[in-house]
Amino acid sequence: MAASTTLVIAISQVNRLFSKKLVNLTEYQICNISNYGNKNKNKKNYKKKYSKPYVSRNPTESKHTSQSNLTFEDDFEKGDEAKKTTKRKDFFMDRLHAVMRGGSGGYGLARYGGIGGDGGNVIIKASKTATLENIKASYPQQRFKAADGKPCKKLALLGEKGEDLVLEVPLGITVEHQNKIIGDLDEEGMEFIVAKGGSGGSPANGFLGVKGETKTVDLNLKLIADIGLVGFPNAGKSTFGSAVTTSGGWKIADYPFTTIKPRIAWMDYKDGRKVAVADLPGLIEGAWENVGMGHRFLKHIERTKLLLFLVDINGFQLNTRFPFRDPIETILILNREVEMYKHHLVDKPAVLALNKIDCDHDGSIVEDIIERIKSLPDSISNYPSDLQPHKLIQFEDILTISTKEGTNILNAKLRLREILDTHFVAEIEYPLDKWQHDMTEHRKIDKTA
């Protein structure tokens, strides 16, 4: 009798809950029925604002998502205006900050004397196809961890080693940890263990696996090339690269800083030889003190074999805040900037190219510049002390060219090849006599070059 009475009361309460005239639906919340009935009507819409971009933790998902396409959740409400503010410029990436952690060792089994597997290592491997941009896209959090070692079991007393994490990096990478270079990869296939995995559980550690190494490192890229172009902005470096190579597609304009990121181009020769040319952004005075991101640009000439200084015969002035520099002052400043950054760089083979000779119709300007260059050792004291380098660069040759008109470009290309072969003959993989014959034939074909 009591059970039936309870059932009747329950049914009546349910009926009352669905009758808006008899009871307020928020008065009783049996099984949250009132919430179901008013889910969309009474629920307040709280909008959350996020200050951090949404980034997938799945590396494979991020491979096809460029960093410049990251959007914020509240951008969907702001529309196109927000997309403009979150758009990022596509800069060349030559440094990557990363945290690398080796895998922990698996635990052992003291009762049976079982030994756990060692943790995996984090290894970087030099590859011609790898880029820091791709690494950043695949691992947006810039954290790399190898697999942990497997614990031993009763029927498997030796635990398996954790899988290594092998990360492909570009050629020319140096690994820096606590302001010290601990690794240097400049050849295809070279490997370096950044973070070692921990030892597996054994009697030496009480059968407890040891944690792997954790290192916070900087992957610093220095381009590897045969020739590095050095000059002030608008000296003609980009035009030179387009004139001597067939790669094309370089952005060229009549304003300073045409080159906004380092890049590599190739000079092709008929015998199959390829010479890599690094086109670096223009330097400005004070680059050795990191003015204008000078260190990020100067570091790329460290691994070049030959330095090609391009100088405008008309002189250069960056803007009204900087003094006008004539060609000789330009050469001295570039000499000093390179020397103050790394003094040994002035000992590299170097060539001077005087550009824009199309502006010198009778050749008098070029002739005067060359005479003043030859007398520099004796006349350098006539220049301000802040322009004088400690050691003058000894140029192997002085070329006169016009990258705009293509004047003397072929001769410059052949001469650069000659100088490279003279200094690095041990690295030549072709008959040098054959190349010298072909070079003579080249000059016969184009006598105006």
Side-chain angles (χ1 to χ4, degrees):
M1 185 67 178
S4 61
T5 302
T6 303
L7 180 60
V8 171
I9 294 173
I11 293 173
S12 64
Q13 288 180 342
V14 172
N15 289 335
R16 289 176 62 197
L17 288 172
F18 283 99
S19 176
K20 295 183 181 180
K21 295 181 180 180
L22 296 179
V23 68
N24 185 354
L25 292 179
T26 60
E27 181 179 355
Y28 298 97
Q29 296 187 9
I30 300 178
C31 298
N32 291 329
I33 293 178
S34 62
N35 289 342
Y36 296 148
N38 284 335
K39 181 176 181 179
N40 296 325
K41 183 176 180 180
N42 296 332
K43 185 177 180 180
K44 293 184 179 179
N45 185 18
Y46 293 99
K47 295 181 180 180
K48 297 181 179 180
K49 293 186 178 181
Y50 296 85
S51 59
K52 295 182 180 180
Y54 166 76
V55 181
S56 171
R57 291 174 178 254
N58 185 356
T60 58
E61 179 183 342
S62 304
K63 279 185 178 180
H64 309 287
T65 305
S66 132
Q67 184 181 2
S68 59
N69 292 330
L70 297 180
T71 56
F72 294 82
E73 291 194 13
D74 52 355
D75 288 346
F76 295 102
E77 300 173 8
K78 298 179 182 178
D80 295 336
E81 183 178 355
K83 291 182 180 179
K84 293 180 182 179
T85 60
T86 57
K87 186 176 181 180
R88 302 181 183 179
K89 293 182 179 180
D90 179 25
F91 286 106
F92 174 78
M93 182 178 290
D94 56 6
R95 194 176 188 89
L96 183 69
H97 189 73
V99 177
M100 300 191 174
R101 179 176 298 173
S104 299
Y107 60 82
L109 199 58
R111 183 177 179 182
Y112 298 99
I115 299 176
D118 294 337
N121 303 319
V122 179
I123 303 172
I124 60 173
K125 181 178 181 180
S127 171
K128 293 180 180 179
T129 59
T131 65
L132 293 181
E133 290 88 345
N134 289 342
I135 297 174
K136 173 73 174 178
S138 300
Y139 299 88
Q141 296 181 347
Q142 298 164 227
R143 293 180 177 273
F144 307 87
K145 185 180 183 305
D148 295 335
K150 303 293 183 182
C152 73
K153 300 178 181 178
K154 183 178 179 180
L155 300 180
L157 296 181
L158 293 177
E160 296 181 9
K161 183 182 182 298
E163 185 177 358
D164 293 335
L165 174 61
V166 181
L167 181 68
E168 292 190 342
V169 297
L171 296 179
I173 281 288
T174 58
V175 186
E176 299 178 8
H177 175 60
Q178 297 179 347
N179 297 323
K180 294 181 179 180
I181 296 177
I182 61 173
D184 193 348
L185 288 76
D186 56 5
E187 294 182 7
E188 175 76 13
M190 285 185 66
E191 294 185 355
F192 176 74
I193 299 176
V194 180
K196 296 181 179 180
S199 303
S202 66
N205 54 35
F207 296 95
L208 299 175
V210 178
K211 289 185 177 181
E213 287 183 334
T214 299
K215 288 182 180 177
T216 301
V217 299
D218 287 306
L219 302 180
N220 193 14
L221 174 62
K222 298 178 182 178
L223 296 180
I224 298 177
D226 297 301
I227 300 173
L229 302 184
V230 181
F232 278 159
N234 210 29
K237 299 187 302 299
S238 296
T239 319
F240 176 84
S242 296
V244 300
T245 68
T246 57
S247 57
W250 285 13
K251 183 174 73 174
I252 302 188
D254 189 19
Y255 56 85
F257 297 107
T258 296
T259 303
I260 58 175
K261 57 184 180 180
R263 54 195 174 178
I264 293 288
W266 297 90
M267 293 196 301
D268 297 322
Y269 295 84
K270 287 189 175 181
D271 63 345
R273 172 81 183 275
K274 291 179 179 292
V275 173
V277 181
D279 180 26
L280 309 179
L283 302 176
I284 63 174
E285 294 183 47
W288 69 273
E289 295 179 305
N290 209 25
V291 175
M293 298 179 69
H295 287 184
R296 295 195 64 178
F297 297 158
L298 283 168
K299 72 177 184 179
H300 292 293
I301 67 174
E302 291 185 43
R303 299 190 184 217
T304 57
K305 297 177 181 177
L306 182 146
L307 300 181
L308 177 59
F309 289 78
L310 262 73
V311 174
D312 187 340
I313 65 169
N314 303 303
F316 175 74
Q317 184 177 22
L318 182 62
N319 55 46
T320 55
R321 293 178 299 172
F322 287 79
F324 173 81
R325 301 300 190 184
D326 69 22
I328 303 301
E329 291 175 331
T330 299
I331 294 170
L332 292 176
I333 292 172
L334 292 174
N335 191 152
R336 180 175 170 82
E337 293 295 338
V338 171
E339 179 186 58
M340 295 300 289
Y341 174 66
K342 293 282 180 69
H343 63 87
H344 68 274
L345 294 178
V346 297
D347 296 324
K348 282 181 175 286
V351 174
L352 174 64
L354 300 176
N355 191 21
K356 304 184 182 181
I357 62 172
D358 54 291
C359 300
D360 182 19
H361 301 293
D362 59 359
S364 59
I365 299 177
V366 172
E367 183 178 351
D368 177 65
I369 293 173
I370 294 177
E371 288 298 322
R372 292 170 63 190
I373 292 173
K374 291 180 179 179
S375 64
L376 263 182
D378 299 325
S379 62
I380 191 171
S381 59
N382 298 331
Y383 293 91
S385 58
D386 59 338
L387 299 184
Q388 298 178 21
H390 296 292
K391 181 178 181 180
L392 284 171
I393 293 177
Q394 301 300 315
F395 295 112
E396 303 272 340
D397 202 351
I398 299 177
L399 309 175
T400 57
I401 61 174
S402 171
T403 56
K404 180 181 179 181
E405 301 297 332
T407 309
N408 293 340
I409 293 299
L410 178 59
N411 263 350
K413 183 177 176 180
L414 297 175
R415 182 65 180 129
L416 291 170
R417 169 77 180 271
E418 279 184 300
I419 295 172
L420 278 173
D421 289 349
T422 301
H423 285 276
F424 304 98
V425 64
E427 301 177 17
I428 299 176
E429 299 177 355
Y430 49 85
L432 188 58
D433 293 340
K434 180 180 182 303
W435 154 245
Q436 292 173 341
H437 170 75
D438 291 343
M439 182 178 61
T440 304
E441 296 301 317
H442 270 296
R443 290 200 169 110
K444 286 180 181 179
I445 293 172
D446 191 349
K447 295 181 180 180
T448 63

